[in-house]
Amino acid sequence: MNLTIDVEHNGAEKIVSLSGEIDAYTAPKLKETLLPLTQESEATVIVDLQQITYMDSTGLGVFISALKSTKEYNNTLKLVNLQDRVYRLFKITGLTEIIAIETDSTVRGGM
């Protein structure tokens, strides 16, 4: 399975919609797209995971890197619309305590 990444720039908000699977094969592509967004001035990066059917620890590593980057650049990272199994991965690793996660949010812009 592949990973599709769509990015919408809505002023300071960067909305990243993902579809597919995040694993060792697709994580580098996600990191390459996501990290530069976290480094933009006064950015709020919203990642919509509604269409992610699978994610492994490599994907978690990408989001940890993105979180570190947003903190370094004084920006915000928010994950929205996580499927139950993906949310559980964040929960059992304790990442729900440090990453802003909304499981039943609707992203602005009709996504």
Side-chain angles (χ1 to χ4, degrees):
M1 181 80 175
N2 285 328
L3 177 67
T4 302
I5 304 171
D6 293 313
V7 180
E8 177 186 330
H9 296 268
N10 187 12
E13 283 187 348
K14 315 306 178 199
I15 302 170
V16 182
S17 298
L18 304 176
S19 178
E21 297 181 353
I22 304 172
D23 56 20
Y25 177 73
T26 60
K29 176 182 174 183
L30 175 58
K31 189 171 186 177
E32 182 180 293
T33 302
L34 190 56
L35 286 187
L37 297 174
T38 66
Q39 299 168 1
E40 293 183 16
S41 178
E42 299 179 12
T44 297
V45 180
I46 300 170
V47 183
D48 187 343
L49 296 161
Q50 185 170 20
Q51 299 299 317
I52 292 299
T53 56
Y54 173 82
M55 184 170 70
D56 66 11
S57 60
T58 314
L60 289 176
V62 171
F63 290 111
I64 292 168
S65 295
L67 179 65
K68 287 179 182 177
S69 180
T70 56
K71 289 185 181 290
E72 182 179 335
Y73 288 88
N74 200 27
N75 291 323
T76 304
L77 174 67
K78 185 187 309 183
L79 308 181
V80 299
N81 300 325
L82 283 72
Q83 299 287 337
D84 286 343
R85 74 174 88 168
V86 174
Y87 178 78
R88 277 194 303 268
L89 187 57
F90 282 92
K91 181 81 171 163
I92 63 173
T93 57
L95 291 174
T96 55
E97 302 297 319
I98 60 172
I99 297 176
I101 297 176
E102 295 179 13
T103 55
D104 56 357
S105 175
T106 302
V107 177
R108 280 188 263 173
M111 296 192 144

